[in-house]
Amino acid sequence: MDAAHCYLEGNADAVEFCPHEPYANLLAASTYTLQEGDCPSRSGSVYLFDVGDVEEVGLNLIQKVDTAGVFDIRWSRGGDGGGNVALAQADADGCLRVYKIDETEVKGCSLKEVAGEKISSSMCLCLDWDPSSTSIVVGLSDGSASVVTFTDSKLETVQEWKGHDFELWTASFDLNNPNLVYTGSDDCKFSCWDIRDSPADNRVFQNSKVHSMGVCCISPNPSDPYSIFTGSYDETLRVWDTRSVSRPVNETSLSLGGGVWRIKHHPSLSGVVLAACMHNGFALAKVSDGKGEVMENYNKHESLAYGADWYRGKDQKRTVVATCSFYDRLLRLWMPITDFST
């Protein structure tokens, strides 16, 4: 069921609900627009919306921050108040930027940039926070990855290595071991690195045989320390056991009919994921006992499906999802028809 929608001023590519109380009503969205011509440029914006509560959902714009073209945004994992809740941005200028929530009685909540650092001459394509939200891994367009610490509102690159031959579209920390980083690339390789000392010399594993096209997303399962989901341009969602990475679990794979650009795990239901499937809209899927099934498809966007996330507030009487699509610049809030209690 559709709840609200709006059009952004640039090509929409990412949406993220704040996972922390009391800010679960905050939704961030980002855009990336290539201005072609004699002097091409990549511009973008970060939007902050108040979506209200699940009883009365809407898209109330709080703030729009103009910046370079944004490829990815992520809220920090840890946080016990506005001073510690952060939103990180990876952009086309090779910069990593971090915003924190600035809360005043007069203006309410807004984003305030507290750190920004140009970490590469290549474009920053993706990012992820470690479990303690003190480090960020960034994937770069030249196939490299960087680990950047974030302490006292300062960013410092502590590791950088060339792990792939082409664009590094996805990078993720292990949720239980912050010394491990997973990466996926246009070179079809799914890799894991130990970042304690010279990651390039400490590759834990690399699978280059299963994904027939580029690896777009890597999403560790928060309810299983050994389970990782991957998505690829080859239109397949796969589930892996990190203790045996020669092939997916029980050959588990699920065709979603479009390149699997983003995978988001349900906040409380193990094995239930929301996937952005590029040319085939969005899908709700469930994986259990080595089997996968599509529970619901959502095709009310008319362009590339890139951004997707679950509302994570304490009030879970109704499931709310945010999705966005690229060229039509559309952001939607909707409620799945799937009965998750069965």
Side-chain angles (χ1 to χ4, degrees):
M1 181 176 71
D2 295 324
H5 74 275
C6 71
Y7 291 92
L8 307 183
E9 294 180 18
N11 300 333
D13 58 8
V15 291
E16 286 269 319
F17 278 107
C18 184
H20 309 294
E21 295 289 353
Y23 306 107
N25 60 305
L26 297 181
L27 174 69
S30 65
T31 66
Y32 166 92
T33 303
L34 174 62
Q35 307 287 346
E36 299 185 272
D38 295 335
C39 298
S41 64
R42 296 174 173 87
S43 62
S45 300
V46 174
Y47 292 77
L48 187 67
F49 293 92
D50 179 355
V51 301
D53 57 44
V54 294
E55 297 300 326
E56 191 172 347
V57 175
L59 283 168
N60 303 302
L61 179 63
I62 299 173
Q63 184 184 14
K64 174 175 172 279
V65 180
D66 292 327
T67 181
V70 181
F71 282 102
D72 201 10
I73 50 173
R74 295 290 174 97
W75 291 101
S76 56
R77 298 188 188 277
D80 54 3
N84 293 311
V85 176
L87 180 73
Q89 160 193 320
D91 70 38
D93 283 353
C95 292
L96 176 64
R97 302 186 187 279
V98 178
Y99 305 89
K100 285 194 174 182
I101 293 176
D102 186 22
E103 190 171 9
T104 65
E105 292 184 8
V106 177
K107 296 183 179 180
C109 294
S110 62
L111 295 175
K112 179 182 179 181
E113 184 176 329
V114 296
E117 194 73 31
K118 186 174 178 65
I119 64 170
S120 176
S121 58
S122 299
M123 294 186 289
C124 295
L125 302 180
C126 61
L127 66 92
D128 189 40
W129 293 87
D130 75 339
S132 65
S133 294
T134 55
S135 293
I136 301 170
V137 61
V138 182
L140 304 172
S141 59
D142 67 353
S144 299
S146 293
V147 175
V148 183
T149 59
F150 177 63
T151 54
D152 299 324
S153 295
K154 293 182 180 179
L155 294 167
E156 181 181 0
T157 301
V158 294
Q159 296 279 11
E160 184 171 351
W161 70 101
K162 182 71 180 290
H164 293 270
D165 300 322
F166 303 112
E167 289 88 346
L168 202 158
W169 290 121
T170 180
S172 180
F173 277 99
D174 187 279
L175 296 180
N176 299 279
N177 183 351
N179 296 314
L180 298 181
V181 164
Y182 304 100
T183 57
S185 165
D186 245 12
D187 61 12
C188 308
K189 296 174 182 177
F190 167 39
S191 308
C192 179
W193 315 86
D194 188 326
I195 63 172
R196 281 174 288 191
D197 183 34
S198 185
D201 300 322
N202 287 283
R203 191 174 69 199
V204 179
F205 69 74
Q206 184 173 83
N207 186 299
S208 59
K209 298 180 179 179
V210 172
H211 299 95
S212 61
M213 299 179 73
V215 182
C216 305
C217 63
I218 297 170
S219 185
N221 186 344
S223 60
D224 184 338
Y226 302 110
S227 176
I228 292 182
F229 289 41
T230 63
S232 169
Y233 286 125
D234 65 15
E235 304 185 354
T236 304
L237 180 152
R238 296 177 174 87
V239 183
W240 303 78
D241 186 324
T242 56
R243 295 166 294 188
S244 177
V245 293
S246 60
R247 63 182 184 274
V249 178
N250 296 334
E251 293 299 331
T252 295
S253 62
L254 186 61
S255 177
L256 297 182
V260 185
W261 183 258
R262 204 175 295 271
I263 299 169
K264 292 294 185 71
H265 291 270
H266 190 281
S268 59
L269 299 177
S270 178
V272 175
V273 297
L274 169 65
C277 306
M278 298 183 71
H279 293 284
N280 197 37
F282 299 88
L284 297 176
K286 184 176 183 179
V287 176
S288 61
D289 300 323
K291 298 179 181 179
E293 63 172 328
V294 175
M295 306 168 72
E296 184 176 339
N297 290 111
Y298 185 80
N299 293 298
K300 294 191 177 181
H301 290 259
E302 297 182 359
S303 182
L304 292 171
Y306 275 154
D309 201 15
W310 306 89
Y311 170 79
R312 299 173 186 275
K314 291 181 180 178
D315 187 351
Q316 293 291 330
K317 295 177 183 177
R318 301 161 77 185
T319 300
V320 179
V321 165
T323 51
C324 72
S325 45
F326 198 64
Y327 292 113
D328 60 0
R329 305 181 172 187
L330 180 58
L331 170 64
R332 283 187 178 274
L333 293 180
W334 51 281
M335 299 167 188
I337 60 175
T338 301
D339 183 359
F340 293 102
S341 63
T342 58

